[in-house]
């Protein structure tokens, strides 16, 4: 199974993606985590990405794609992936699509959108900040990340809806209920597209 998560910052992508990875035996690839790892390790790529991440801007496409695409290709050959935080704009989506070519293992099965209202997103990110979380969870940077999402990432929902891949789940419910909602819709996708895998529901 190959799954993308497209949702605003604070919507719970990371939490839910971890659970999807476990259930479907696929790899969780989070572009933000990969970038923060590069920053912490002080790599050249991390140094090039640092200012963008701290401002809440998108990191240039070529840097992110270098981190994500090869890993996604490998994961796709080993059962699949859930990509969290990538693609985040139309160019990234098209580059990813171009790369998949005609290879069936690489085809996307579903794009998951977690719908959460703006006030709730802000509240969650500020709560994460006061719990000692990320340096980009400050009020001004949070607002900027939400604007970047609206301008650059949200338009991807139509792109994937037009391709018949978009599944929207209410992300404001309690965490376990969101997970159940996702399992419900994605179990259906798996049964339709990968019937052999669905015969092993223990995962
Ligand atoms: P969130 O979605 O909660 O804001 P992430 O952990 O997904 O957080 O991303 C943190 C930051 O990493 C983003 O604000 C951005 O600077 C950078 N980033 C992550 N994924 C991408 C991407 N696909 N393209 C460009 N920048 C990205």
């Amino acid at each position: 199974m190959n799954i993308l998560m497209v949702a605003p910052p604070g919507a719970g992508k990371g939490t839910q993606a971890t659970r999807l990875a476990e259930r479907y035996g696929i790899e969780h690839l989070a572009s933000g985590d990969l970038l923060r790892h590069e920053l912490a390790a002080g790599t050249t790529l991390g140094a090039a990405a640092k200012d963008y991440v701290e401002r809440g801007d998108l990191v240039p496409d070529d840097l992110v794609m270098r981190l994500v695409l090869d890993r996604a290709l490998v994961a796709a050959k080993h059962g699949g992936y859930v990509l969290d935080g990538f693609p985040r704009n139309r160019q990234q989506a098209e580059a990813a699509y171009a790369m998949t070519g005609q290879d069936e293992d690489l085809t996307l099965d579903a794009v998951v959108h977690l719908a959460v209202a703006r006030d709730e997103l802000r509240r969650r990110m500020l709560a994460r900040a006061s719990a000692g979380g990320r340096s980009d969870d400050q009020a001004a940077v949070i607002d900027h990340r939400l604007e970047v999402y609206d301008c650059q990432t949200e338009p991807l929902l139509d792109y994937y809806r037009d391709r018949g891949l978009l599944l929207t789940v209410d992300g404001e419910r309690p965490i376990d209920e969101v997970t159940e909602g996702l399992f419900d819709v994605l179990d259906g996708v798996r049964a339709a597209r990968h019937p052999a895998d669905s015969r092993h529901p223990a995962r």
Side-chain angles (χ1 to χ4, degrees):
M1 285 262 277
N2 297 323
I3 302 168
L4 301 184
M5 308 210 62
V6 179
K13 295 187 294 287
T15 306
Q16 299 300 336
T18 304
R19 295 173 176 201
L20 297 182
E22 195 179 319
R23 181 174 185 85
Y24 299 113
I26 57 183
E27 189 168 351
H28 176 199
L29 292 170
S31 55
D33 289 347
L34 292 169
L35 282 165
R36 282 185 287 277
H37 180 81
E38 298 287 318
L39 258 64
T43 62
T44 315
L45 195 152
K50 185 168 185 286
D51 289 349
Y52 296 93
V53 173
E54 287 180 352
R55 285 198 305 267
D57 277 323
L58 293 189
V59 166
D61 294 337
D62 60 319
L63 297 183
V64 177
M65 293 200 280
R66 238 191 284 161
L67 274 181
V68 173
L69 289 180
D70 284 349
R71 288 176 169 85
L73 281 177
V74 173
K77 293 289 178 191
H78 294 89
Y81 57 74
V82 50
L83 258 180
D84 148 14
F86 180 93
R88 242 177 167 92
N89 60 29
R90 185 67 182 246
Q91 297 84 278
Q92 293 179 10
E94 285 175 357
Y97 184 59
M99 198 191 62
T100 59
Q102 301 300 310
D103 191 330
E104 237 177 62
D105 286 347
L106 304 182
T107 311
L108 268 186
D109 292 300
V111 178
V112 170
H113 172 57
L114 302 173
V116 179
R118 201 46 38 124
D119 288 352
E120 174 63 10
L121 296 170
R122 273 203 197 87
R123 195 191 62 71
R124 290 181 187 179
M125 286 187 275
L126 288 170
R128 183 163 71 184
S130 60
R134 287 167 28 181
S135 62
D136 58 348
D137 282 342
Q138 306 152 22
V141 183
I142 288 172
D143 284 339
H144 185 57
R145 280 156 58 205
L146 289 168
E147 276 165 26
V148 169
Y149 175 81
D150 287 342
C151 298
Q152 308 213 42
T153 310
E154 214 253 1
L156 289 181
L157 298 180
D158 279 342
Y159 173 76
Y160 289 119
R161 191 179 288 114
D162 290 348
R163 287 174 52 196
L165 289 167
L166 190 70
L167 303 168
T168 298
V169 165
D170 176 1
E172 288 203 23
R173 291 172 301 161
I175 291 178
D176 289 346
E177 285 182 31
V178 176
T179 307
E180 285 307 315
L182 288 170
F183 287 174
D184 269 359
V185 287
L186 290 169
D187 282 0
V189 169
R190 181 174 62 168
R193 294 179 55 110
H194 304 280
D197 294 347
S198 322
R199 286 199 286 275
H200 307 290
R203 261 192 176 147

